[in-house]
Amino acid sequence: MALALAPAPEWSTLEVAAVRGKSRLVTCKNIQPLKLLQPTAPGGAGHVVLSSYGGGLVAGDVIRLRISVRAGARLVLSTQASTRVFRSIDGAVAEQHTVGELGENALAVIFPDPVVLQAESRYRQRQEWHLQPTSLLLLVDWFHSGRMDQGERFAFTSLHSELRIRVAGRLVVLDRFAFTPRENIATSPANFAGYQTFFSVFLVGSPDDARFQKLGEMLARQKMPGSTGPHFNISSQDCMISVARARENVWVLRAAAHSRMALQPLCEQILAALADEELLGYNPLARKY
């Protein structure tokens, strides 16, 4: 007797293409619990907002999203609000898996609100991006240690995150992070000390692309003055920032802050740079930040 094969998992999909000088959403498919919203964008870029039924992820939820940005198109992907990961009662994990593909000269800006890991939650995310040599990707990865307004800090059970970015098939970024608070002292200086929100930016593009150069220069300016000096006091900083050009075609920025508000100036600097006419031509998150 032949065994019945399990059905292939369903994926939400979105596809953006350049149509008559503007980027348009030409394919859109929602699979619960994910919802894809498309607000009106004043510029030529397409803007898609991720939302979810119930306002977050419960244990066992799995979001799978495929993204395609065709040649010459521009996409901004954001979220309606913070992604709350609710407690896991039976050990089940909430997951998000994103696979993205950018065509020649395509631009994608991925700027979500933070993932908020509530007490006893289990969360895993994987992102895979495939770029062409002339593609440009700016990706933000952001999480909170818990519901900070309620004094919750590192009360979640587990966090696993993996990001892979390839250019013309070559792996240029591999970023893995896993943390289990019960097995570590989260507030130790060797881990997170007093910081509660963690913000990473990955910029990948061609070194000859003027857009990549401008964004790279903007990120480089975010380095903290005096941070390499012998008398620099880390504990006195509300927001710590480090910036590195990891490869010829990759910039990485890392920030840790005591509060979301402490990251506000950094977010504003990045969004102001993205409003350049050569990039998005407007600030897509002006009403939020």
Side-chain angles (χ1 to χ4, degrees), residues 33 35 51-58 61 80-86 118:
K35 293 193 295 183
S51 184
S52 62
Y53 294 90
L57 299 176
V58 299
D61 276 351
Q80 193 172 33
S82 298
T83 300
R84 293 174 291 173
V85 183
F86 299 106
Q118 298 190 6

Side-chain angles (χ1 to χ4, degrees), residues 90-128:
D90 57 1
V93 179
E95 298 186 42
Q96 291 200 81
H97 187 185
T98 303
V99 176
E101 183 175 349
L102 276 61
E104 293 285 359
N105 296 307
L107 165 65
V109 174
I110 315 302
F111 206 122
D113 289 279
V115 172
V116 180
L117 301 160
Q118 298 190 6
E120 299 181 54
S121 63
R122 299 172 184 264
Y123 177 67
R124 180 182 296 113
Q125 70 174 24
R126 288 188 293 165
Q127 297 191 68
E128 306 168 34

Side-chain angles (χ1 to χ4, degrees), residues 71-84:
R74 292 178 288 174
L75 169 67
V76 181
L77 189 69
S78 62
T79 51
Q80 193 172 33
S82 298
T83 300
R84 293 174 291 173

